[in-house]
Amino acid sequence: MRFHVISLPHTQTTKEYVNCAYTEKVRRFCIMMKSLGHTVYLYASEDNEAPVDELITCITKEQQQEALDGKHFTEAEFNNELPHWQIFNSNAIVELSKRLEKKDFICLIGGASQEPIAKAYPNHISVEFGVGYGGVFSKFKVFESYAWMHSIYAMFKNPTLVDGNFYDAVIPGYLEPEMFPLQEKKEDYYLYVGRMVDRKGLVVAQHVCKELGLKLIMAGPGKDPKIEYGEWVGPVGPEERAKLMGGAIALFAPTLYIEPFGNVVIEAQTCGTPTITTDWGAFTETNPQGVTGYRCRNAMEFAVATEWVKSLDPVAIHKRAVSLYSLDAIGPQYEQYFARLLTLWGDGWYERK
């Protein structure tokens, strides 16, 4: 199979962009597809650490920096009317024309912001291969969780009238276990990793730890975040991120909205660290109660969870995460999905080969 993977106009496909879940998904998707023997073309910026057959630069780092204008890359807008998006999309469209063959896949990660690319090639199969956002547009989508798939389906119609799509799929997030090594011995702190905004549960983590007098470390990008308790260390790179996760008694991920997936949960679990989350969204799939951590609905439950997590086995948590979310586990799921799409060039749903 041949994949044309379109990255984002404001990041580089390197581990240094670990704070951008979508860029990491692009980098890791390329690793998986190449390891399975497929051809991968990557349309991105100048720096790249993913194994690909060809890197096609669609925007320069200088153009990116001008577009960001001093902002952190996690603050970048997804809007194809912005100049840097137009530069990136236009260049990707031109470069695709030089390489596309009949049964190739165009793999998009920017939602509606990359719709112009799909529209330019209506006779090819364009796939949104990591849907953790609301601005979907394509006929073929891979959602990060069943919770998010059902949320998106219901978003566009009366929920009682929604039909499923046989050519969508659910494939969870994925990671490289070696980036998040198991650490059995925990230190005396709890951890929050994510954007420093209320809707990610930042205030919940602070409130619980303050009430109980627990040490809280917070890591992630943010501009003038609301810090009423704990230590904020700012954005962290991959090594420091893994070190913080491995040493924590537990990771707080009390997202207030319906979480599409939440990569930090499986990253912490791969380190053998339990997770304390809210009780909705993807957490109902990634954080089984009393197995990898606890899902909570009020202050008392969060408080009790900070103690109960200490009885959970870091080795068992680590093994479960690796078995479910490693590239070796997820790659074949993507391969099976795209093989299903290839049948559309034949008998489609009725294919028996």
Side-chain angles (χ1 to χ4, degrees):
M1 289 186 275
R2 288 164 50 95
F3 298 93
H4 298 265
V5 184
I6 317 297
S7 192
L8 299 176
H10 51 268
T11 61
Q12 309 288 320
T13 47
T14 68
K15 292 179 182 177
E16 288 304 310
Y17 285 77
V18 68
N19 289 301
C20 177
Y22 299 131
T23 302
E24 277 293 84
K25 189 174 283 288
V26 165
R27 186 181 65 80
R28 292 165 178 167
F29 180 81
C30 292
I31 294 172
M32 291 189 294
M33 295 302 100
K34 279 302 298 177
S35 71
L36 293 169
H38 302 296
T39 300
V40 178
Y41 298 94
L42 175 61
Y43 301 75
S45 187
E46 298 177 47
D47 294 342
N48 171 54
E49 293 176 353
V52 296
D53 291 274
E54 184 182 2
L55 170 66
I56 301 98
T57 297
C58 296
I59 191 168
T60 66
K61 287 193 281 188
E62 183 179 352
Q63 289 170 321
Q64 285 183 334
Q65 292 306 313
E66 183 180 345
L68 287 171
D69 192 27
K71 295 179 181 178
H72 192 269
F73 61 85
T74 56
E75 299 178 76
E77 291 184 56
F78 282 63
N79 181 349
N80 60 32
E81 294 184 357
L82 294 175
H84 64 292
W85 275 98
Q86 292 181 346
I87 291 170
F88 186 86
N89 288 347
S90 295
N91 287 336
I93 289 169
V94 170
E95 295 299 329
L96 279 164
S97 70
K98 302 173 184 178
R99 297 166 178 83
L100 272 176
E101 296 181 5
K102 182 178 179 180
K103 296 182 181 181
D104 289 4
F105 295 107
I106 300 173
C107 300
L108 305 169
I109 199 66
S113 297
Q114 292 178 336
E115 186 174 5
I117 298 174
K119 282 186 173 180
Y121 297 100
N123 296 324
H124 284 79
I125 294 178
S126 291
V127 180
E128 293 180 80
F129 70 98
V131 177
Y133 46 81
V136 298
F137 71 90
S138 67
K139 189 176 180 180
F140 308 105
K141 300 173 290 295
V142 178
F143 295 92
E144 294 184 320
S145 65
Y146 283 95
W148 192 241
M149 178 182 71
H150 295 143
S151 293
I152 293 298
Y153 281 177
M155 188 182 299
F156 294 101
K157 295 181 181 179
N158 179 332
T160 63
L161 301 177
V162 174
D163 294 332
N165 182 345
F166 284 115
Y167 292 97
D168 285 345
V170 173
I171 301 176
Y174 39 91
L175 48 69
E176 299 139 288
E178 60 270 22
M179 284 184 64
F180 301 95
L182 170 65
Q183 184 173 327
E184 294 185 58
K185 184 176 176 60
K186 303 302 180 183
E187 301 175 31
D188 188 24
Y189 67 88
Y190 293 79
L191 180 66
Y192 168 94
V193 177
R195 288 179 289 118
M196 301 293 287
V197 296
D198 288 353
R199 294 195 72 217
K200 292 295 285 185
L202 177 63
V203 173
V204 173
Q206 291 182 65
H207 171 80
V208 172
C209 289
K210 181 179 181 180
E211 287 291 308
L212 298 175
L214 304 174
K215 181 178 180 180
L216 174 66
I217 297 176
M218 296 164 285
K223 184 177 181 180
D224 300 322
K226 187 185 298 183
I227 306 297
E228 297 180 353
Y229 183 82
E231 177 188 1
W232 178 40
V233 297
V236 292
E239 292 183 6
E240 182 64 18
R241 185 184 183 96
K243 183 179 178 181
L244 284 170
M245 286 182 168
I249 296 172
L251 173 88
F252 275 94
T255 310
L256 304 183
Y257 56 85
I258 303 301
E259 179 65 69
F261 190 71
N263 283 344
V264 294
V265 166
I266 65 169
E267 291 170 358
Q269 291 171 1
T270 303
C271 294
T273 298
T275 46
I276 301 173
T277 71
T278 38
D279 188 28
W280 43 72
F283 299 140
T284 61
E285 300 164 46
T286 60
N287 191 29
Q289 199 79 326
V291 177
T292 59
Y294 291 92
R295 303 193 307 272
C296 311
R297 285 184 173 268
N298 60 32
M300 183 188 69
E301 292 175 7
F302 277 108
V304 170
T306 63
E307 190 63 31
W308 283 0
V309 291
K310 296 177 182 178
S311 66
L312 301 179
D313 181 6
V315 175
I317 293 172
H318 165 78
K319 287 182 176 179
R320 179 185 181 276
V322 172
S323 70
L324 292 178
Y325 308 117
S326 67
L327 303 190
D328 289 342
I330 298 298
Q333 295 181 45
Y334 269 106
E335 190 174 49
Q336 182 183 24
Y337 172 71
F338 284 103
R340 184 186 307 148
L341 295 187
L342 280 179
T343 67
L344 294 171
W345 296 101
D347 293 329
W349 195 85
Y350 296 94
E351 180 71 60
R352 292 181 179 270
K353 294 179 183 179

